[in-house]
Amino acid sequence: MTDLRWQLLQGATIMTKATWEKIPADLRPELLRISQEAGTRLQKEIRASETKDVEAMKKRGLAVVPVSAAQKAQWQKLTESMYPQIRGKVVPAEAFDEAMRHRDEYRKQRGAAAGK
């Protein structure tokens, strides 16, 4: 395993607008709040367990291979070169573009370290 922190995969719950609108309007804000809290809690749990989980795997023989800055840059370049195959084909173009806007906004707000 490499020590490259890769956070490409995300999860989501998606429903059609018609299904969302079947939920009583007065319940929707609370449903959104609860969903966001659950997502935040899960994200924190996953991040908190990462180091512990890797250490447990190391004790069982996992070898963690360091990745240099140059190698990380190669991975990033390769990943970004796949965006045209993903955008509009795997992920709807509008959703892909929105995700990229959110990523860029997050990185801008938190500085260069957020992009690493």
Side-chain angles (χ1 to χ4, degrees), residues 1-2 9 12-13 15-16 30 32 34 44-45 48-49 55 58 63 78-80 84-85 106 112-113:
M1 178 176 123
T2 68
L9 301 177
T13 300
M15 68 174 70
T16 65
E30 183 68 4
L32 280 173
I34 291 168
K44 287 178 182 177
E45 289 173 12
S49 71
E55 288 304 316
K58 282 180 179 179
L78 174 64
T79 300
E80 290 174 3
Q85 287 81 35
Y106 176 85

Side-chain angles (χ1 to χ4, degrees), residues 41-57:
R41 186 173 55 250
L42 180 60
Q43 183 181 51
K44 287 178 182 177
E45 289 173 12
I46 290 169
R47 288 180 178 167
S49 71
E50 178 184 23
T51 301
K52 177 183 65 133
D53 296 343
V54 171
E55 288 304 316
M57 289 186 284

Side-chain angles (χ1 to χ4, degrees), residues 13-71:
T13 300
I14 300 172
M15 68 174 70
T16 65
K17 183 176 181 181
T19 299
W20 177 250
E21 290 176 349
K22 289 179 184 177
I23 298 170
D26 62 319
L27 297 179
R28 293 180 205 155
E30 183 68 4
L31 181 58
L32 280 173
R33 185 190 66 75
I34 291 168
S35 299
Q36 289 168 340
E37 283 179 5
T40 299
R41 186 173 55 250
L42 180 60
Q43 183 181 51
K44 287 178 182 177
E45 289 173 12
I46 290 169
R47 288 180 178 167
S49 71
E50 178 184 23
T51 301
K52 177 183 65 133
D53 296 343
V54 171
E55 288 304 316
M57 289 186 284
K58 282 180 179 179
K59 288 179 184 176
R60 291 167 178 82
L62 175 70
V64 178
V65 179
V67 176
S68 70
Q71 290 167 326

